[in-house]
């Protein structure tokens, strides 16, 4: 640092030598009283030479830049705040104005997505094996293996792999006989796929509010919404938090309703010692690229009912008879998953414990880094539930939410607002009869933060004004 300090009465040659002495490529210019008056970077110097200056010329006041400075002892958050994409070096001065050190911070331009699949050589190995086997369509050893192993993992007997999580819900509802005239209860806070699947069956969705603290469907509101036309309920384990499955199953059994658990965001979560997905008649998963376990695109229906398993297999494959090729007893779909997708799924499933614990570690790091902020409400843990981390999900003050997301975007960090309440979207509002205050509150205050390994937490802290 000392060698890069240069007096303002020197020649440009001395300034260049000072710049050259400092790996950061900068010279700190001081006046006769040894007070910092500005800086010259190697870029500034290049521009001086290009403007016709000679190395023998004296350094003039117009040759150096006034700069933002920091005082000795300023904390790291304050220092980061003083930097930006152009200003990467902040001189630190003592109480007499003499430069004693500098702070350097590179604002990475790399885009940090909200989610990133965790892919290793294991996925590549299985994928290559499936590719080389030439079984790249919807038959092959990985399909069978993935269905069996995934169903086992979620404490179910049968798995029916599908091309995505949305069609998995649709397939489940059709297999349960949900159709025109039936009502299906869905939570207000969920991704639109849940309600769309109901509408694609020709059934009527009934939107109900979620719990304020748990964010999942309110069993009380659910029961209040049951009519003689209700046929099924779709509890959604939103943002990795298990719904109150004991209570939901009690109500469903009392009213003889089907339960389709939407587990798209909760692979591996547990309730009362059992995996989510093992409570409902059929449960569905998504393996989209941003999900805990991914196959690129993909989904799965799981069940322990052998008849439902058989029905779903037929419906998934154009309604074709399993015993008589090209004979169709039902109007089905092509909802099949490919062997290539399943190969990735098998590898992911082998690594699921480490994927889950790494996501918990990421959330833990956020909690530590942002601990000083009492404005943040973290996702809660409930005694009987073992949630998983899908996206790190927090609540902030409504008035600050969009500004925080904007500041994160400015720093190339992708953060997402929570889903809009279904009932607030014109295409769905007719399916809600009551105000869903909790879903509205959560939707306007929730943020999903990037759940990736190398997220730059200092940038996150800056966006939160820390
Ligand atoms: C709660 C929920 N249900 C269903 C889906 C649909 O899954 P997919 O995108 O695989 O169709 C998603 C996906 O984002 C989801 O979050």
């Amino acid at each position: 640092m000392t060698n890069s300090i240069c007096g303002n009465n020197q020649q440009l040659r001395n300034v260049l030598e000072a710049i050259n002495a400092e790996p950061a490529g900068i010279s700190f210019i001081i006046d006769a009283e040894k007070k910092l008056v500005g800086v010259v970077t190697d870029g500034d110097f290049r521009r001086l030479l290009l403007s016709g200056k000679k190395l023998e010329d004296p350094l003039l006041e117009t040759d150096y830049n006034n700069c933002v400075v920091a005082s000795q002892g300023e904390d790291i958050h304050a220092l980061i705040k003083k930097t930006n994409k152009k200003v990467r070096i902040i001189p630190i001065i003592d109480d007499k104005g003499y430069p004693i050190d500098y702070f350097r911070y590179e604002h990475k331009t790399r885009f940090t997505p909200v989610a990133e699949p965790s892919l290793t050589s294991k996925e590549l190995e299985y994928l290559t094996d499936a590719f080389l086997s030439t079984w790249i369509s919807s038959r092959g050893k990985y399909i069978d293996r993935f269905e069996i192993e995934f169903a086992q993992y979620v404490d179910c007997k049968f798995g029916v792999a599908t091309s995505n999580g949305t069609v998995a819900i649709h397939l489940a509802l059709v297999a349960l006989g949900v159709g025109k005239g039936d009502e299906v209860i869905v939570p207000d806070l969920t991704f639109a796929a849940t309600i769309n699947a109901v509408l694609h069956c020709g059934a009527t969705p009934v939107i109900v509010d979620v719990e304020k603290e748990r964010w999942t469907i309110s069993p009380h509101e659910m029961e209040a919404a049951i009519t003689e036309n209700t046929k099924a309920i779709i509890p959604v384990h939103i943002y990795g938090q298990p719904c109150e499955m004991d209570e939901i199953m009690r109500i469903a059994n009392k009213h003889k309703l089907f339960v389709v658990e939407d587990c798209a965001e909760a692979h591996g979560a547990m309730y009362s010692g059992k995996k989510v997905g093992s409570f409902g008649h059929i449960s569905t998963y998504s393996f989209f690229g941003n999900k805990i376990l991914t196959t690129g695109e993909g989904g799965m229906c799981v069940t322990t009912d052998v008849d439902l398993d058989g029905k779903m297999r037929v419906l998934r494959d154009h309604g074709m008879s399993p015993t008589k090729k090209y004979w169709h007893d039902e109007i089905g779909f092509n909802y099949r998953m490919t062997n290539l997708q399943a190969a990735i799924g098998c590898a992911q499933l082998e690594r699921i414990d480490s994927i889950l614990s790494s996501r918990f570690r990421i959330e833990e790091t956020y909690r530590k880094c942002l601990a000083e902020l009492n404005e943040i409400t973290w996702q809660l843990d409930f005694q009987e539930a073992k949630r998983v981390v899908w996206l790190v999900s927090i609540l902030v003050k409504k008035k600050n939410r969009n500004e925080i997301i904007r500041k994160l975007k400015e720093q190339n960090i992708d953060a997402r607002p929570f889903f809009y309440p279904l009932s607030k979207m014109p295409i769905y509002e007719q399916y809600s009869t009551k105000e869903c205050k909790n879903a509205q509150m959560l939707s306007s205050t929730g943020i999903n933060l990037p759940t990736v390994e190398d997220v730059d937490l200092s940038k996150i802290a800056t966006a939160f004004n820390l």
Side-chain angles (χ1 to χ4, degrees):
M1 163 89 197
T2 337
N3 292 341
S4 63
I5 297 173
C6 187
N8 62 349
N9 56 351
Q10 303 280 312
Q11 285 181 338
L12 287 179
R13 175 183 299 281
N14 301 99
V15 179
L16 184 59
E17 276 165 8
I19 291 173
N20 202 38
E22 173 52 58
I26 192 165
S27 172
F28 302 93
I29 312 298
I30 53 169
D31 63 12
E33 289 166 358
K34 299 198 164 180
K35 274 199 174 123
L36 181 79
V37 288
V39 292
V40 182
T41 65
D42 44 11
D44 297 330
F45 206 89
R46 205 166 43 241
R47 283 182 283 279
L48 284 177
L49 293 182
L50 286 172
S51 73
K53 297 255 180 181
K54 299 280 174 294
L55 291 180
E56 293 68 34
D57 288 347
L59 174 70
L60 304 178
E61 209 175 316
T62 47
D63 295 341
Y64 49 84
N65 295 314
N66 260 336
C67 57
V68 181
V69 293
S71 313
Q72 205 171 358
E74 269 188 49
D75 86 354
I76 185 141
H77 296 309
L79 290 172
I80 292 173
K81 249 193 202 168
K82 289 185 171 175
T83 64
N84 57 43
K85 271 189 201 141
K86 283 195 182 137
V87 178
R88 286 166 295 164
I89 294 177
I90 307 289
I92 299 174
I93 51 172
D94 66 11
D95 51 3
K96 295 191 181 69
Y98 184 73
I100 46 167
D101 202 350
Y102 65 87
F103 173 74
R104 184 180 184 180
Y105 187 78
E106 293 285 340
H107 283 257
K108 279 193 217 153
T109 48
R110 189 181 94 83
F111 175 70
T112 304
V114 80
E116 217 166 40
S118 159
L119 300 172
T120 65
S121 55
K122 181 59 71 190
E123 282 78 3
L124 186 60
E125 180 193 329
Y126 289 179
L127 182 60
T128 311
D129 182 46
F131 175 83
L132 293 175
S133 76
T134 74
W135 290 91
I136 61 168
S137 204
S138 50
R139 287 172 72 185
K141 67 176 183 188
Y142 287 108
I143 291 276
D144 301 337
R145 177 174 156 190
F146 188 40
E147 288 185 337
I148 292 167
E149 291 181 357
F150 190 80
Q152 267 170 6
Y153 175 71
V154 297
D155 300 335
C156 285
K157 274 202 178 141
F158 308 106
V160 180
T162 58
S163 31
N164 58 62
T166 308
V167 301
I169 307 171
H170 186 232
L171 184 66
L173 293 173
V174 176
L176 291 168
V178 172
K180 205 164 182 315
D182 294 329
E183 289 175 4
V184 179
I185 299 175
V186 298
D188 198 24
L189 186 71
T190 183
F191 181 58
T194 319
I195 192 167
N196 286 347
V198 176
L199 289 163
H200 285 307
C201 290
T204 306
V206 176
I207 298 170
V208 302
D209 205 359
V210 295
E211 303 256 309
K212 194 172 165 190
E213 306 220 302
R214 219 180 267 260
W215 312 351
T216 53
I217 193 165
S218 154
H220 172 75
E221 293 298 325
M222 188 187 96
E223 187 158 28
I226 294 172
T227 70
E228 58 186 17
N229 296 323
T230 309
K231 181 128 182 186
I233 305 160
I234 312 184
V236 180
H237 306 295
I238 196 89
Y239 303 129
Q241 183 71 268
C243 301
E244 290 157 279
M245 287 316 297
D246 289 342
E247 183 61 0
I248 290 171
M249 292 314 292
R250 188 192 65 75
I251 297 167
N253 289 337
K254 182 170 134 196
H255 296 273
K256 300 193 169 42
L257 304 176
F258 290 124
V259 174
V260 175
E261 290 175 71
D262 182 343
C263 312
E265 304 175 4
H267 313 64
M270 298 181 81
Y271 192 85
S272 288
K274 278 170 64 180
K275 289 266 167 54
V276 301
S278 64
F279 294 83
H281 298 84
I282 302 177
S283 300
T284 64
Y285 286 83
S286 163
F287 305 127
F288 179 64
N290 69 8
K291 294 300 187 295
I292 292 171
L293 188 151
T294 186
T295 59
E297 289 276 2
M300 180 96 73
C301 291
V302 292
T303 184
T304 293
D305 183 316
V306 66
D307 294 333
L308 287 175
D309 173 59
K311 252 190 196 165
M312 288 193 287
R313 285 181 188 284
V314 169
L315 285 167
R316 176 183 64 172
D317 191 17
H318 302 283
M320 201 187 312
S321 160
T323 51
K324 197 168 160 185
K325 194 98 181 139
Y326 303 128
W327 184 263
H328 299 258
D329 294 309
E330 298 201 56
I331 303 166
F333 321 98
N334 176 356
Y335 282 173
R336 298 176 308 234
M337 175 185 271
T338 68
N339 198 40
L340 296 172
Q341 290 167 289
I344 300 175
C346 287
Q348 289 265 289
L349 195 54
E350 280 183 25
R351 302 179 42 242
I352 184 106
D353 290 343
S354 91
I355 292 175
L356 286 171
S357 50
S358 132
R359 299 178 91 92
F360 263 115
R361 260 200 321 275
I362 293 168
E363 188 192 78
E364 208 39 51
T365 319
Y366 271 106
R367 286 187 187 231
K368 279 188 195 141
C369 172
L370 303 176
E372 291 162 44
L373 278 181
N374 40 24
E375 117 142 44
I376 294 184
T377 303
W378 299 95
Q379 220 172 350
L380 295 176
D381 287 300
F382 298 90
Q383 208 180 8
E384 68 290 1
K386 217 169 141 221
R387 68 179 175 92
V388 287
V389 177
W390 172 42
L391 301 173
V392 172
S393 305
I394 59 167
L395 306 180
V396 295
K397 289 195 182 102
K398 186 174 171 180
K399 65 177 173 45
N400 298 341
R401 200 274 301 267
N402 292 348
E403 180 62 6
I404 291 169
I405 293 179
R406 193 192 60 74
K407 280 191 185 161
L408 287 166
K409 289 248 152 81
E410 221 173 63
Q411 312 226 36
N412 245 344
I413 293 178
D414 193 17
R416 304 269 170 89
F418 275 18
F419 300 125
Y420 291 104
L422 295 177
S423 60
K424 286 290 169 197
M425 290 185 254
I427 49 166
Y428 304 126
E429 66 188 353
Q430 60 186 297
Y431 305 114
S432 129
T433 49
K434 268 172 135 182
E435 277 284 287
C436 296
K437 291 242 159 59
N438 294 337
Q440 285 166 29
M441 177 279 289
L442 294 166
S443 172
S444 59
T445 58
I447 304 181
N448 295 127
L449 294 167
T451 314
V452 298
E453 285 286 357
D454 62 345
V455 60
D456 187 338
L457 284 160
S458 57
K459 282 187 184 174
I460 305 257
T462 311
F464 280 92
N465 287 331
L466 256 183

